Amino acid sequence: DVKVTQSSRYLVKRTGEKVFLECVQDMDHENMFWYRQDPGLGLRLIYFSYDVKMKEKGDIPEGYSVSREKKERFSLILESASTNQTSMYLCASSRARDEKLFFGSGTQLSVL
Amino acid sequence: GESVGLHLPTLSVQEGDNSIINCAYSNSASDYFIWYKQESGKGPQFIIDIRSNMDKRQGQRVTVLLNKTVKHLSLQIAATQPGDSAVYFCAENRAQGGSEKLVFGKGTKLTVNP
């Protein structure tokens, strides 16, 4: 089975801190994604990547950046964390663009 | 807002009954649909998918029905068990601006009563 591993299950940060969320997948998938999930708003796409060193903005990229130096790893960066970035962050990967996504367990980030 | 949506935000069933969770989509060009299950505190888990060249697909205790005429998708769970209690999302692979992306519905919360 595909395994998508997110480095932290819970994270508490202070406003203004730089935050790194790490994600690793073990199935040699080309595509990787970062979503945030908020009550009543569902899953919203932040950034995605279809190849190493490639990135594309999703629906809500403001305040975030990403890094994909290796195929298996996709990092989400909050340059200066703000309280409105408190959320559940979900990483996902897929083999091809029209195939199902496999999700990690999520990182619940609280920004105080 | 998103047009991949749900007819009911919550569904409560008795253990052993069949459950039906519905989803509407708006883009007739969408060609791939997925159902996910998300338990509390966990990431979404793939259940079943269907492509637009099919109208029905069956898995273990689950069936997905696709009605392209009315742009409607449903997930049927047979003999619902307490372990089926979760939020269920549909997702639509939608062509948008020259690329494709998965658009998720807001979810239906299924509660199974013993």
Side-chain angles (χ1 to χ4, degrees):
Chain A
D1 281 350
V2 176
K3 192 166 184 183
V4 179
T5 304
Q6 295 185 230
S7 54
S8 303
R9 185 70 186 88
Y10 298 97
L11 214 50
V12 180
K13 296 292 181 180
R14 296 208 175 274
T15 302
E17 279 194 78
K18 190 169 186 176
V19 182
F20 293 86
L21 302 183
E22 305 288 346
C23 176
V24 177
Q25 50 93 5
D26 66 357
M27 282 300 290
D28 201 36
H29 281 180
E30 298 291 332
N31 310 318
M32 297 189 75
F33 306 80
W34 275 106
Y35 290 85
R36 63 178 283 177
Q37 184 176 34
D38 301 286
L41 297 177
L43 284 159
R44 293 183 290 168
L45 181 62
I46 305 172
Y47 266 96
F48 60 101
S49 169
Y50 287 151
D51 200 356
V52 176
K53 297 191 185 295
M54 176 267 182
K55 60 185 178 184
E56 287 195 39
K57 293 179 180 179
D59 298 320
I60 51 162
E62 296 79 18
Y64 304 94
S65 63
V66 290
S67 171
R68 193 165 182 203
E69 295 296 317
K70 294 184 178 181
K71 190 176 186 179
E72 67 271 18
R73 186 179 296 270
F74 194 35
S75 303
L76 180 69
I77 304 155
L78 286 66
E79 296 290 342
S80 178
S82 62
T83 55
N84 63 11
Q85 293 179 308
T86 291
S87 185
M88 169 69 87
Y89 289 87
L90 289 161
C91 175
S93 73
S94 70
R95 186 177 60 175
R97 296 190 188 196
D98 62 347
E99 292 195 8
K100 57 185 174 283
L101 269 58
F102 293 87
F103 285 88
S105 298
T107 296
Q108 180 62 53
L109 173 67
S110 296
V111 183
L112 305 178
Chain B
E2 298 294 351
S3 54
V4 176
L6 301 156
H7 295 310
L8 292 172
T10 62
L11 178 64
S12 185
V13 300
Q14 291 298 121
E15 182 178 357
D17 287 353
N18 296 333
S19 302
I20 300 175
I21 301 171
N22 296 303
C23 188
Y25 65 96
S26 62
N27 192 331
S28 56
S30 294
D31 59 358
Y32 178 54
F33 305 87
I34 312 170
W35 281 101
Y36 286 93
K37 172 186 180 183
Q38 186 174 24
E39 296 173 278
S40 180
K42 297 184 179 179
Q45 177 187 1
F46 168 81
I47 303 173
I48 193 167
D49 56 2
I50 188 167
R51 297 203 178 268
S52 58
N53 59 352
M54 302 174 69
D55 53 20
K56 180 178 179 179
R57 192 164 187 221
Q58 288 185 288
Q60 187 178 10
R61 281 201 307 118
V62 295
T63 301
V64 55
L65 298 177
L66 177 62
N67 185 330
K68 294 181 285 293
T69 302
V70 295
K71 296 196 280 289
H72 183 268
L73 187 70
S74 68
L75 176 71
Q76 300 179 0
I77 305 173
T80 314
Q81 303 168 358
D84 295 327
S85 292
V87 175
Y88 290 81
F89 298 92
C90 61
E92 164 193 10
N93 191 49
R94 184 188 294 175
Q96 190 165 319
S99 64
E100 295 177 340
K101 75 169 195 175
L102 271 181
V103 176
F104 290 86
K106 299 286 191 292
T108 293
K109 183 176 182 180
L110 175 66
T111 301
V112 182
N113 302 309

